Amino acid sequence: MSAVRFDYRGERVVVTGAAGLIGRALVARFAGAGARVLAVDVDADGLKVHDGAPGVDVLAGDLAREDVADAVFERLRAAGGGLDVLVNNAAMTELRTPFADIEAGVWDAVVAANLRSVYLLSVRAVRYWRDAGRGGAIVSMSSPGGSRAHEDQSVYDVTKAGIEALSRAIAVELGGLGIRANCIAPASVVGAVRPATDIPSGRTTSPEEVADAALFLASPAAAQLNGHVLHLDGGLHARLRTDPSQEQLRD
Ligand SMILES: NC(=O)c1ccc[n+]([C@@H]2O[C@H](COP(=O)([O-])OP(=O)(O)OC[C@H]3O[C@@H](n4cnc5c(N)ncnc54)[C@H](O)[C@@H]3O)[C@@H](O)[C@H]2O)c1
């Protein structure tokens, strides 16, 4: 159980990819902090994990589709509330294909699920906040691949770099209206925390730690953070070599 405490009572939060590993923790932590959460995922069965959870409503749909993005905002309107926080967490995460073998259809599907979806919801969120004359917070899930390359995940990494660039653009264009867009780049989130020799902290990251970072970034405690990428990785991003024995020593 996390010791981190934030107060989201009265706030309305959208979490995408809500049926997935990190999405489930995001929904639980925002709802546990008092928010009313709209949990969205293409996996209708997977969303059943939220059945009966207080303060949580669900919507199933493919977020690469514009009509599904519209449906999210129609649901928010029908529920009588606005939007305070958008968490762009949905992504196709499983693909492992050497760049030389990627077909255009696969490239387009990953870009649509991972990046077009973030555009479709984020543009609606910022229009809503701008027209309502108020601020709001977007937190998007990037990856270490947003700034460095995984093997065999070129298109995934491209979408994460795109999400970071979009967050900077939103920060620069809309920060004056009190609209903030930040990213989390977590490494090695695998469910149960286990030892990891390539991570300076010596262990993987828990889904709840990612959720806590999202609660922080969306909160007034992060009011002056905008266009930022939070590397939540136990120091992995700071490390030059994963095999320190390969450091070159002078004779
Ligand atoms: N797990 C990690 O180590 C890790 C590391 C870095 C970044 N991330 C990022 O964190 C986020 C969550 O990762 P996860 O490990 O929980 O992944 P996951 O695969 O468990 O969950 C992703 C969820 O997104 C949903 N989704 C995919 N395409 C969708 C679409 N078009 N419309 C609606 N929903 C869609 C899936 O159904 C799934 O429930 C992703 O953005 C991922 O890239 C994860």
Side-chain angles (χ1 to χ4, degrees), residues 17 20-22 41-42 61-63 89-91 93 141-142 156 160 186 189:
L21 176 68
I22 294 171
D41 203 291
V42 71
D62 177 356
L63 286 161
N89 169 72
T93 57
M141 299 303 301
S142 184
Y156 174 88
K160 295 306 185 181
V189 188

Side-chain angles (χ1 to χ4, degrees), residues 3 7 15 26 47-48 69 81 83 103 117 132 157 174 184 188 193 212 227 240:
D7 186 356
V15 174
L26 284 163
L47 282 173
K48 288 181 183 156
L83 176 69
E103 303 292 344
S117 64
D157 288 355
L174 294 145
I184 302 170
S188 297
V193 171
D212 285 341
L240 177 62

Side-chain angles (χ1 to χ4, degrees), residues 97 99 101-108:
T97 307
F99 175 66
D101 298 334
I102 294 184
E103 303 292 344
V106 172
W107 181 277
D108 289 347

